[in-house]
Structures are given as structure tokens and as C-alpha cells.
Amino acid sequence: MEPTLVVFSGGQDSTTCLLQAIAERGAANVHTVTFAYGQRHKLEVELAEGLAKELGVASHKTITVDWYKDITHNALMDTDTPIAKEAGASCPNTFVDGRNALFLLTAAIYAKGLGIHDLTIGVSEADYSGYPDCREAFVKSMEQTLRLAMDWPFRILAPLQHLTKEQEWALADKLGRLDFVRTRTLTCYEGIPGDGCGKCPACRLRAAGLEAYLRGKGAR
Amino acid sequence: MEPTLVVFSGGQDSTTCLLQAIAERGAANVHTVTFAYGQRHKLEVELAEGLAKELGVASHKTITVDWYKDITHNALMDTDTPIAKEAGASCPNTFVDGRNALFLLTAAIYAKGLGIHDLTIGVSEADYSGYPDCREAFVKSMEQTLRLAMDWPFRILAPLQHLTKEQEWALADKLGRLDFVRTRTLTCYEGIPGDGCGKCPACRLRAAGLEAYLRGKGAR
């Protein structure tokens, strides 16, 4: 079984990816990497480390990117900026320029050192907030760029690419891990694990998907 | 005149690019970024800062990438590893996995914050040491990936892409800056500016190009 390195934040998306990778490959073939890049909540990084260990991954690494906050600005890293989507903007001000590219590139450099080809990331372009680096076109282009940059046959796996939040909850349920994802992960912009604050855009998207899934399941 | 951000190490290649950018656009439209990523010689970073200021660029920024040494290994960053090209290896052990991709991505994130579209980098695939991230195919793919990642019309300019070292010296001479590049830049793996140690692969490549250029010039 080929090993994979999962870009893991401890949120709903990457946790679902991690659980799926473990189900498919066994925890001994799954490695995780978490980025501390100045996001609002340091708790996110600690929570990710804790979940990775609890799930028994082969290795977990936290990489601190100190310079991010110094060269770009957004509401996710600047705690005095209210989260909003300005009129005419293509995506909310929580967009961190280049974030998924940086995660994938850094993960790829690290993976090559471990002899790993596969990178797993929880991006989705269904239900996404307009973030350009969640689109399949970006992921495909990034894969090609990584191969060329390092002469290494990387594969980027984005199993949630075309799943809505509702379908993502269905996947967690199919893996027998709906409650785990619901109660143990952190998606909320206010830094509250589980069901979160219930009010921020991330909580609303997550809750709407869960409700739709549970409603549909009840009806069946 | 469009501004450009030059990825600037203070070596022969990037200094020649910087001088050309200044000649074409004026120093007021040229910004520089230098990366401190754990390379053997900290002098390189200080030298780059000094040259950038002396040349009067619009802004200079040094970005420290702390984690590089922690996730990958090579003779450029590991001072106890002798520089060599192993039998059968496609490039010398000075290759830093993902370096040009990381420089370009980070520069792009920073450039977008400054409202800049153009990125200039001194990569060359002629006379190169087999580094995959110096090839034009990589640069083109990277440009496309950056555009998709950030929805921003980046252009990567690699004016040395197809120049040999000899042609690069000719370019410096044409800009009236041959002596400046020869005496003030740092290419040597041993950290000695100007003509360097004369023995390492970087010095030998640089010296051979200069000799060929001066010989050809003398013959004309």
C-alpha cells in the first residue's frame, strides 16, 4: 500500500480526508502535516496534533510559517479585521493568498524527503466560498508544477473536490465517523470546536450541510 | 512602466537580472526579495540587502524560511555534507528540493499584496547543473499555477532562461556592469564574493563563462 501525506488542519474537511485515507490504506501508511501560519486560533494546531496522534498516524509534523503574516493581509490572520465579503469581491476577506499552494508545495518537499508520492488535501469546489485555490483547475496545475519542480511523481488527491458539505457528511457517516467529525473537529472562525459558534460563515455552511444530510437520511 | 519584483540572491544570475530590470524599468519600478532559507552563508543575505540598497530599488524585503532545513536535506544547507554529484544522480547534492517554486510562490504572495504582476527570476537551463526547477517547462507551469491559485495575472520573467554563462557575462557587459557583477556578487559555494574560491562547481562554471566571453571579446 502506497503511503500518503495528508495536509491536516483538524477541520471537518481534512479530518474526513484523513479518516478516509486511514480506512483505505491503514494508519501505518498515513502521515500528517499541519501548518501554523498565523491563523486566528492556535488551538487549531494543537487540536490537529492531538487528533493525528489519537488516530495513530505513522508520523505527524507541524511546520511553522512565520513570514506569512508579514507579507499578506486577510481577516483570517489579522484579528482586528472583521470577517466579511465586500460587495463585488470574488471571495470573502478570509481568503489567504496562496495558502493551498504553499501547503501543497511545502508538503511535497517534505513528502519527497520521506519517499512519499501521494499528497491528500481536503479542498472542495462545491459549496466553496469562491477561493480560487480550491478549484480542480488549480489542483491539477499544482500537481504538474510539483512534478516538474522536483522530478518526482507526485499525485495530489483531493477526494472532496466535487462533494458538497452534505455529501461530505454522508462520507463521514459511511466511514462510521460522523460523530467523531461532528464533535471533535474545528471549522469555526471563532475557534470553537464541534458545532462551533453557529454564526460565522464556516459554521453556517457546516451546519446547513449536516442538517440537509440528516434530513435526507431521516426521510429514507 | 509596470513594476517588477526580482527574486534576488546577490549572485551573478539574479544581479544581472536586477541590473537589466533597473535599466529597462528604472529603479523606482523595481522591488527585490531575498530569502534566508538556511543556505551555507548568511553573508549572501546581507550582501544581497546591501546591493539592493546601493542600486536604489523601490523596496527590499528579506523573508526568512525557518522550516526548510527541518524538512529536507542537501549539501547547500547541511554544512557537514560535502558537495558532490553522485554517480547516476540527475543533479548535484546541492539541489534544494522545491527552492525555486518556494521562492516564486512566496514572491507572488508578496507581490500581489503590493499590486505587482511581474516576477523576475534568474533561472537558466543552459549551463545549468541539472536542477529541474531551472527548466522553462517548470517556469511556465509555475506561472499558470500561480495565476490559478490567486486569481491574479502574474507573469514570470526569466530573462536568462536560454543564456549560457558566457552570454550572461555579455549581457552584464552590454549593461555596462561587467565589473560590478564580477567583483560584487557572490556565487561561490564557499561564500567568497567576486571571483570566489575558484574551485567549487559554481566558481568553475562562472569563471569558464567569463573566460570564454573575454576571449571572444578580445578576438573581435
Side-chain angles (χ1 to χ4, degrees):
Chain A
M1 192 60 88
E2 276 270 316
T4 191
L5 175 63
V6 180
V7 176
F8 181 56
S9 72
Q12 179 192 355
D13 300 345
S14 63
T15 303
T16 304
C17 283
L18 176 57
L19 292 166
Q20 187 191 40
I22 291 172
E24 285 176 358
R25 304 176 193 236
N29 291 306
V30 177
H31 303 253
T32 47
V33 61
T34 296
F35 292 92
Y37 61 97
Q39 61 270 62
R40 285 177 171 232
H41 304 288
K42 288 195 180 163
L43 173 61
E44 188 179 317
V45 174
E46 288 163 25
L47 184 139
E49 283 177 358
L51 290 183
K53 278 179 196 164
E54 185 178 332
L55 293 170
V57 298
S59 78
H60 176 78
K61 178 103 184 163
T62 297
I63 297 177
T64 301
V65 181
D66 279 334
W67 48 261
Y68 223 135
K69 221 172 167 160
D70 186 34
I71 66 166
T72 190
H73 295 285
N74 54 72
L76 207 68
M77 297 196 276
D78 306 339
T79 44
D80 49 352
T81 304
I83 290 170
K85 182 170 174 179
E86 282 171 43
S90 59
C91 65
N93 66 356
T94 46
F95 178 58
V96 181
D97 269 320
R99 181 171 54 171
N100 284 334
L102 183 74
F103 289 177
L104 285 166
L105 171 58
T106 311
I109 294 167
Y110 176 53
K112 188 179 172 191
L114 297 176
I116 293 175
H117 304 124
D118 287 359
L119 308 170
T120 301
I121 189 164
V123 295
S124 169
E125 64 176 57
D127 280 356
Y128 85 127
S129 308
Y131 290 180
D133 60 356
C134 288
R135 294 176 301 192
E136 186 171 25
F138 160 72
V139 173
K140 290 286 167 210
S141 182
M142 188 75 199
E143 180 180 79
Q144 175 66 1
T145 298
L146 292 176
R147 290 176 179 195
L148 289 167
M150 289 180 259
D151 252 349
W152 188 254
F154 290 112
R155 283 199 309 167
I156 301 179
L157 306 168
L160 311 182
Q161 188 75 74
H162 300 293
L163 299 192
T164 61
K165 285 284 171 194
E166 179 180 349
Q167 292 170 317
E168 210 181 300
W169 285 112
L171 173 58
D173 201 12
K174 196 177 135 203
L175 294 165
R177 294 302 205 127
L178 191 139
D179 278 346
F180 185 91
V181 175
R182 180 172 186 173
T183 60
R184 305 290 305 282
T185 65
L186 168 55
T187 307
C188 171
Y189 286 149
E190 300 300 327
I192 303 165
D195 288 338
C197 73
K199 290 174 198 155
C200 75
C203 278
R204 287 206 303 265
L205 189 62
R206 175 174 161 140
L210 181 60
E211 270 170 46
Y213 172 65
L214 293 176
R215 201 165 48 232
K217 197 182 174 188
R220 277 192 297 272
Chain B
M1 189 62 85
E2 276 268 316
T4 191
L5 175 64
V6 180
V7 176
F8 181 55
S9 72
Q12 178 192 354
D13 301 344
S14 64
T15 303
T16 304
C17 284
L18 175 58
L19 292 166
Q20 188 191 40
I22 290 172
E24 284 175 359
R25 304 177 193 236
N29 292 307
V30 177
H31 303 253
T32 47
V33 60
T34 297
F35 293 91
Y37 60 96
Q39 60 271 63
R40 284 176 170 232
H41 304 288
K42 288 195 181 164
L43 174 62
E44 188 180 317
V45 174
E46 288 163 23
L47 185 139
E49 282 176 359
L51 290 183
K53 279 180 194 163
E54 185 179 330
L55 293 169
V57 297
S59 78
H60 176 76
K61 178 104 185 162
T62 297
I63 297 176
T64 300
V65 181
D66 279 334
W67 48 261
Y68 223 135
K69 223 174 167 159
D70 186 34
I71 66 164
T72 189
H73 294 285
N74 54 73
L76 208 68
M77 297 195 274
D78 306 338
T79 45
D80 49 354
T81 304
I83 289 170
K85 182 170 174 180
E86 282 172 41
S90 60
C91 66
N93 66 355
T94 47
F95 178 59
V96 181
D97 270 319
R99 181 171 55 172
N100 284 334
L102 183 74
F103 289 177
L104 285 166
L105 171 59
T106 311
I109 294 166
Y110 177 52
K112 188 179 171 189
L114 297 174
I116 293 175
H117 305 122
D118 287 0
L119 308 170
T120 301
I121 188 164
V123 295
S124 169
E125 65 175 57
D127 281 357
Y128 84 127
S129 308
Y131 291 178
D133 60 355
C134 288
R135 294 175 300 192
E136 187 172 24
F138 160 72
V139 173
K140 290 287 166 212
S141 181
M142 188 76 201
E143 181 180 78
Q144 176 65 3
T145 299
L146 292 176
R147 290 176 179 194
L148 288 168
M150 291 180 256
D151 252 348
W152 187 253
F154 290 112
R155 282 199 311 164
I156 301 179
L157 306 168
L160 311 181
Q161 187 77 73
H162 301 293
L163 299 192
T164 61
K165 285 282 171 193
E166 180 180 349
Q167 292 170 318
E168 210 181 301
W169 284 112
L171 173 58
D173 202 11
K174 196 177 136 203
L175 294 166
R177 294 303 203 123
L178 189 137
D179 277 347
F180 185 91
V181 175
R182 179 171 185 173
T183 60
R184 306 291 305 284
T185 65
L186 168 55
T187 306
C188 171
Y189 286 148
E190 299 300 327
I192 304 165
D195 288 337
C197 72
K199 289 173 200 156
C200 74
C203 279
R204 287 207 303 266
L205 189 61
R206 175 174 161 142
L210 180 60
E211 270 170 46
Y213 173 64
L214 293 176
R215 201 165 49 234
K217 195 182 176 189
R220 278 192 296 275

Coordinates of all heavy atoms in Angstrom, one line a residue, chain B residues 6-23 30 32 34 44 47-52 55 57 120-123 159-160 165 168-169 171-172 175 177-187 206:
Chain B
V6 N 11.9 41.3 -8.2 CA 13.0 40.5 -8.6 C 13.4 39.6 -7.4 O 13.7 40.0 -6.3 CB 14.3 41.3 -9.0 CG1 15.4 40.4 -9.4 CG2 13.9 42.3 -10.1
V7 N 13.4 38.2 -7.6 CA 13.9 37.3 -6.7 C 15.5 37.4 -6.7 O 16.1 37.1 -7.7 CB 13.5 35.9 -7.0 CG1 14.1 34.9 -6.0 CG2 12.0 35.7 -7.0
F8 N 16.0 37.9 -5.6 CA 17.4 38.4 -5.6 C 18.2 37.8 -4.6 O 18.0 37.9 -3.4 CB 17.4 39.9 -5.5 CG 18.7 40.6 -5.5 CD1 19.5 40.4 -6.6 CD2 19.1 41.4 -4.5 CE1 20.8 41.0 -6.6 CE2 20.4 42.0 -4.5 CZ 21.2 41.8 -5.6
S9 N 19.3 37.0 -5.0 CA 20.2 36.4 -4.0 C 21.5 37.1 -3.9 O 22.3 36.7 -3.0 CB 20.4 34.9 -4.4 OG 21.3 34.9 -5.6
G10 N 21.8 38.0 -4.7 CA 23.1 38.6 -4.7 C 24.2 37.8 -5.5 O 25.4 38.2 -5.5
G11 N 23.7 36.8 -6.2 CA 24.7 36.0 -7.1 C 24.7 36.6 -8.5 O 24.1 37.6 -8.7
Q12 N 25.6 36.0 -9.3 CA 25.7 36.6 -10.6 C 24.4 36.6 -11.4 O 24.1 37.7 -12.0 CB 26.7 35.7 -11.4 CG 26.9 36.2 -12.9 CD 27.6 35.1 -13.8 OE1 28.1 34.1 -13.3 NE2 27.7 35.4 -15.0
D13 N 23.6 35.6 -11.4 CA 22.4 35.5 -12.2 C 21.4 36.5 -11.8 O 20.9 37.3 -12.6 CB 21.8 34.1 -12.1 CG 22.8 33.0 -12.5 OD1 23.8 33.3 -13.2 OD2 22.5 31.8 -12.2
S14 N 21.1 36.5 -10.5 CA 20.0 37.4 -10.1 C 20.4 38.9 -10.1 O 19.6 39.8 -10.3 CB 19.4 37.0 -8.7 OG 20.3 37.1 -7.7
T15 N 21.7 39.1 -9.9 CA 22.2 40.5 -10.0 C 22.1 41.0 -11.5 O 21.7 42.1 -11.7 CB 23.6 40.6 -9.5 OG1 23.7 40.1 -8.1 CG2 24.1 42.1 -9.5
T16 N 22.5 40.1 -12.4 CA 22.3 40.5 -13.8 C 20.9 40.8 -14.2 O 20.6 41.8 -14.8 CB 22.9 39.4 -14.7 OG1 24.3 39.2 -14.3 CG2 22.9 39.8 -16.2
C17 N 20.0 40.0 -13.7 CA 18.5 40.2 -13.9 C 18.1 41.6 -13.3 O 17.3 42.3 -13.9 CB 17.7 39.1 -13.2 SG 17.7 37.6 -14.1
L18 N 18.6 41.8 -12.1 CA 18.2 43.0 -11.4 C 18.7 44.3 -12.1 O 18.0 45.2 -12.3 CB 18.8 43.0 -10.0 CG 18.6 44.3 -9.1 CD1 17.1 44.6 -9.0 CD2 19.2 44.1 -7.7
L19 N 20.0 44.2 -12.6 CA 20.5 45.3 -13.3 C 19.8 45.6 -14.6 O 19.5 46.7 -15.0 CB 22.0 45.1 -13.6 CG 22.9 45.1 -12.4 CD1 24.3 44.5 -12.7 CD2 23.1 46.5 -11.9
Q20 N 19.4 44.5 -15.3 CA 18.6 44.6 -16.5 C 17.2 45.2 -16.2 O 16.8 46.1 -17.0 CB 18.5 43.2 -17.2 CG 17.8 43.4 -18.6 CD 17.4 42.0 -19.1 OE1 16.9 41.1 -18.4 NE2 17.7 41.8 -20.4
A21 N 16.6 44.7 -15.2 CA 15.3 45.3 -14.8 C 15.3 46.8 -14.5 O 14.5 47.5 -14.9 CB 14.7 44.5 -13.6
I22 N 16.4 47.2 -13.8 CA 16.6 48.6 -13.5 C 16.8 49.4 -14.8 O 16.3 50.5 -14.9 CB 17.7 48.8 -12.5 CG1 17.3 48.2 -11.1 CG2 18.1 50.2 -12.4 CD1 18.4 48.2 -10.1
A23 N 17.6 48.8 -15.7 CA 17.9 49.5 -16.9 C 16.6 49.7 -17.8 O 16.4 50.8 -18.4 CB 19.0 48.8 -17.7
V30 N 11.4 48.8 -9.5 CA 12.0 47.5 -9.3 C 12.0 47.3 -7.8 O 12.6 48.1 -7.0 CB 13.4 47.4 -9.9 CG1 14.0 46.0 -9.6 CG2 13.3 47.6 -11.5
T32 N 12.9 44.2 -4.7 CA 13.6 42.9 -4.6 C 13.2 42.2 -3.3 O 12.7 42.8 -2.3 CB 15.2 43.2 -4.4 OG1 15.3 44.3 -3.5 CG2 15.8 43.6 -5.7
T34 N 14.7 38.8 -1.0 CA 15.8 37.8 -0.8 C 15.3 36.8 0.3 O 14.6 37.2 1.2 CB 17.0 38.6 -0.2 OG1 17.5 39.5 -1.3 CG2 18.2 37.6 0.1
E44 N 25.5 35.9 2.2 CA 24.7 36.0 1.0 C 23.5 36.9 1.2 O 23.3 37.8 0.3 CB 24.3 34.6 0.5 CG 23.6 34.6 -0.8 CD 23.2 33.2 -1.3 OE1 24.0 32.2 -1.0 OE2 22.1 33.0 -1.8
L47 N 24.8 40.6 1.8 CA 25.3 41.1 0.6 C 24.2 41.5 -0.3 O 24.2 42.6 -0.9 CB 26.2 40.0 0.0 CG 27.0 40.4 -1.3 CD1 28.4 39.8 -1.3 CD2 26.3 39.9 -2.5
A48 N 23.2 40.7 -0.4 CA 22.0 41.0 -1.3 C 21.3 42.3 -0.8 O 21.0 43.2 -1.6 CB 21.0 39.8 -1.3
E49 N 21.1 42.4 0.5 CA 20.5 43.6 1.0 C 21.3 44.8 0.7 O 20.7 45.9 0.3 CB 20.4 43.5 2.5 CG 19.2 42.6 3.0 CD 19.2 42.4 4.5 OE1 20.0 43.0 5.2 OE2 18.3 41.7 5.0
G50 N 22.6 44.7 0.9 CA 23.5 45.9 0.6 C 23.4 46.3 -0.9 O 23.3 47.5 -1.2
L51 N 23.5 45.3 -1.8 CA 23.5 45.6 -3.2 C 22.2 46.2 -3.6 O 22.1 47.2 -4.4 CB 23.7 44.3 -4.1 CG 25.1 43.7 -4.0 CD1 25.2 42.5 -5.0 CD2 26.2 44.7 -4.4
A52 N 21.1 45.7 -3.1 CA 19.7 46.2 -3.4 C 19.6 47.7 -3.1 O 19.2 48.5 -3.8 CB 18.7 45.4 -2.8
L55 N 21.8 49.9 -5.3 CA 21.2 50.1 -6.6 C 19.9 50.9 -6.6 O 19.3 51.1 -7.6 CB 21.0 48.7 -7.3 CG 22.3 48.0 -7.6 CD1 22.0 46.5 -8.0 CD2 23.1 48.7 -8.7
V57 N 16.8 50.3 -5.3 CA 15.5 49.7 -5.6 C 14.3 50.4 -4.8 O 14.6 50.9 -3.8 CB 15.5 48.2 -5.4 CG1 16.4 47.5 -6.3 CG2 15.7 47.8 -3.9
T120 N 10.5 38.6 -11.5 CA 11.7 38.3 -12.3 C 12.6 37.3 -11.6 O 12.8 37.6 -10.4 CB 12.5 39.6 -12.6 OG1 11.6 40.5 -13.3 CG2 13.7 39.4 -13.5
I121 N 13.1 36.3 -12.2 CA 13.9 35.3 -11.6 C 15.1 34.9 -12.5 O 14.9 34.8 -13.7 CB 13.1 34.1 -11.1 CG1 14.0 33.2 -10.2 CG2 12.5 33.3 -12.2 CD1 13.2 32.2 -9.4
G122 N 16.3 34.7 -11.9 CA 17.5 34.5 -12.8 C 17.7 33.0 -13.1 O 18.9 32.6 -13.2
V123 N 16.7 32.2 -13.3 CA 17.0 30.8 -13.6 C 17.4 30.7 -15.1 O 17.1 31.5 -15.9 CB 15.7 29.9 -13.4 CG1 15.4 29.8 -11.9 CG2 14.6 30.4 -14.3
P159 N 14.7 36.2 -17.8 CA 15.5 36.7 -19.0 C 16.8 35.9 -19.3 O 17.3 36.0 -20.4 CB 15.8 38.1 -18.6 CG 15.7 38.2 -17.1 CD 14.6 37.2 -16.7
L160 N 17.2 35.1 -18.3 CA 18.4 34.3 -18.5 C 18.1 32.8 -19.0 O 19.0 32.0 -19.2 CB 19.3 34.2 -17.3 CG 19.6 35.5 -16.5 CD1 20.4 35.3 -15.3 CD2 20.2 36.5 -17.5
K165 N 26.4 30.9 -19.5 CA 27.1 31.8 -18.6 C 27.9 32.8 -19.5 O 28.0 34.0 -19.1 CB 28.1 31.0 -17.7 CG 27.4 30.3 -16.6 CD 27.1 31.2 -15.5 CE 26.2 30.4 -14.5 NZ 25.5 31.3 -13.5
E168 N 25.6 35.4 -20.5 CA 25.2 36.2 -19.4 C 26.2 37.3 -19.0 O 25.9 38.4 -18.7 CB 25.1 35.3 -18.2 CG 24.0 35.7 -17.2 CD 24.0 34.7 -16.0 OE1 23.7 33.5 -16.2 OE2 24.3 35.1 -14.9
W169 N 27.5 36.9 -19.2 CA 28.6 38.0 -19.0 C 28.5 39.0 -20.1 O 28.7 40.2 -19.8 CB 29.9 37.3 -19.0 CG 30.3 36.6 -17.7 CD1 30.4 35.2 -17.6 CD2 30.5 37.2 -16.4 NE1 30.7 34.9 -16.3 CE2 30.8 36.1 -15.5 CE3 30.5 38.5 -15.9 CZ2 31.0 36.3 -14.2 CZ3 30.8 38.7 -14.6 CH2 31.0 37.6 -13.7
L171 N 25.8 40.0 -21.5 CA 24.6 40.9 -21.1 C 25.1 41.9 -20.0 O 24.7 43.1 -20.1 CB 23.5 40.0 -20.6 CG 22.3 40.7 -20.0 CD1 21.6 41.7 -21.0 CD2 21.2 39.7 -19.5
A172 N 25.8 41.4 -19.0 CA 26.3 42.3 -18.0 C 27.2 43.4 -18.6 O 27.1 44.6 -18.2 CB 27.1 41.6 -16.9
L175 N 25.2 46.0 -20.4 CA 24.5 46.9 -19.4 C 25.6 47.8 -18.8 O 25.2 48.7 -17.9 CB 23.8 46.1 -18.3 CG 22.6 45.3 -18.8 CD1 22.2 44.3 -17.7 CD2 21.4 46.2 -19.1
R177 N 27.9 46.8 -16.8 CA 28.1 46.4 -15.4 C 28.9 45.2 -15.2 O 28.7 44.5 -14.2 CB 26.7 46.2 -14.8 CG 25.9 47.5 -14.7 CD 26.6 48.6 -13.9 NE 25.6 49.5 -13.3 CZ 25.5 49.8 -12.0 NH1 26.3 49.2 -11.2 NH2 24.6 50.6 -11.6
L178 N 29.7 44.8 -16.2 CA 30.5 43.6 -16.1 C 31.4 43.6 -14.8 O 31.4 42.6 -14.1 CB 31.4 43.4 -17.3 CG 32.1 42.0 -17.4 CD1 32.0 41.4 -18.8 CD2 33.5 42.0 -16.9
D179 N 32.1 44.7 -14.6 CA 32.9 44.7 -13.4 C 32.1 44.7 -12.1 O 32.5 44.0 -11.1 CB 33.8 46.0 -13.4 CG 35.0 45.8 -14.2 OD1 35.3 44.7 -14.6 OD2 35.7 46.8 -14.5
F180 N 31.0 45.3 -12.1 CA 30.1 45.3 -10.9 C 29.7 43.8 -10.6 O 29.9 43.3 -9.5 CB 28.9 46.1 -11.1 CG 28.0 46.2 -9.9 CD1 28.1 47.3 -9.0 CD2 26.9 45.3 -9.7 CE1 27.3 47.4 -7.9 CE2 26.1 45.4 -8.6 CZ 26.3 46.4 -7.7
V181 N 29.2 43.1 -11.6 CA 28.8 41.7 -11.4 C 30.0 40.9 -11.0 O 29.9 40.0 -10.1 CB 28.1 41.2 -12.7 CG1 27.8 39.7 -12.5 CG2 26.9 41.9 -13.0
R182 N 31.2 41.1 -11.7 CA 32.3 40.3 -11.4 C 32.9 40.4 -10.0 O 33.2 39.4 -9.3 CB 33.5 40.6 -12.4 CG 34.7 39.8 -12.1 CD 35.8 40.0 -13.2 NE 36.9 39.1 -12.9 CZ 37.9 38.9 -13.7 NH1 38.0 39.5 -14.9 NH2 38.8 38.0 -13.4
T183 N 32.9 41.7 -9.5 CA 33.6 41.9 -8.2 C 32.6 42.0 -7.0 O 33.1 41.8 -5.9 CB 34.4 43.2 -8.2 OG1 33.4 44.3 -8.5 CG2 35.4 43.2 -9.3
R184 N 31.3 42.2 -7.2 CA 30.5 42.5 -6.1 C 29.5 41.4 -5.8 O 28.8 41.4 -4.7 CB 29.7 43.8 -6.4 CG 30.5 45.0 -6.7 CD 31.3 45.4 -5.5 NE 30.5 45.7 -4.4 CZ 29.7 46.8 -4.2 NH1 29.7 47.7 -5.1 NH2 28.9 47.0 -3.2
T185 N 29.3 40.4 -6.6 CA 28.3 39.4 -6.4 C 28.9 38.1 -5.8 O 30.2 38.0 -5.7 CB 27.6 39.0 -7.7 OG1 28.6 38.4 -8.6 CG2 27.0 40.2 -8.4
L186 N 28.1 37.3 -5.2 CA 28.5 36.1 -4.5 C 27.8 34.8 -5.1 O 26.6 34.7 -5.0 CB 28.2 36.2 -3.0 CG 28.3 34.9 -2.2 CD1 29.7 34.3 -2.3 CD2 28.0 35.3 -0.7
T187 N 28.6 34.0 -5.8 CA 28.1 32.8 -6.4 C 28.8 31.5 -5.7 O 28.2 30.5 -5.7 CB 28.4 32.8 -7.9 OG1 27.9 34.0 -8.5 CG2 27.7 31.6 -8.6
R206 N 31.2 29.8 -13.5 CA 31.3 31.2 -13.6 C 32.5 31.7 -14.3 O 32.5 32.5 -15.2 CB 31.1 31.8 -12.2 CG 31.3 33.3 -12.1 CD 31.0 33.8 -10.7 NE 31.5 35.1 -10.5 CZ 31.0 36.1 -9.7 NH1 29.8 35.8 -9.1 NH2 31.5 37.2 -9.6

